[in-house]
Amino acid sequence: MMKFLKRISAALSAASIFMLNAQAQAQSTATPQGAQPIEAAMGWLQGTLIGNIATTAAVIAVAVVGLMMLTGRMNWRHGITVVFGCFILFGASSIVAGIQSAAAG
C-alpha cells in the first residue's frame, strides 16, 4: 500500500510541475479563436462523465466490488483501486481547481 501511495504522490508532484510549466508558458487566459467546437465537445464529455449515467454506473460498480470484497472473491487492492478511481472521476473538477489556484497563488 505504501508503494502505491508513493507512486500516486510522485505522479501528482510531476503533474503539478507540468501544470506550473504550462501556466508559465500561457500568454493569455482567453479562449483561442476557433476553439468553440472543441470547448463544446469537452463540455459534452464532462457532462457525460459526471452526469446521471456515470453516477449510476459508479454506484453499481462500488456496490458490486464491495460485495465481492466482502465475500472474498476480489483482492482488496483492486477494490480500493475502483473506489479511488470513482473519487478521481467525480472530484476531477475540484482537483483541477485546486491545482490552478496553487499555480496562480
Side-chain angles (χ1 to χ4, degrees):
M1 186 68 171
M2 291 303 291
K3 285 183 180 179
F4 179 72
L5 292 175
K6 287 180 182 178
R7 288 180 186 169
I8 293 295
S9 65
L12 288 176
S13 298
S16 65
I17 290 170
F18 289 128
M19 291 298 291
L20 287 173
N21 207 7
Q23 178 101 13
Q25 292 176 359
Q27 293 180 358
S28 174
T29 58
T31 304
Q33 187 176 12
Q36 288 84 13
I38 296 171
E39 191 173 353
M42 290 296 121
W44 175 84
L45 185 63
Q46 180 183 7
T48 302
L49 288 176
I50 302 177
N52 293 336
I53 295 171
T55 304
T56 304
V59 167
I60 292 171
V62 169
V64 169
V65 166
L67 182 63
M68 289 178 70
M69 286 178 5
L70 287 174
T71 58
R73 296 180 183 173
M74 179 178 271
N75 186 358
W76 281 87
R77 177 178 272 173
H78 291 114
I80 291 171
T81 303
V82 171
V83 174
F84 190 65
C86 290
F87 280 123
I88 289 176
L89 176 67
F90 293 112
S93 60
S94 300
I95 293 169
V96 170
I99 292 171
Q100 286 178 341
S101 67

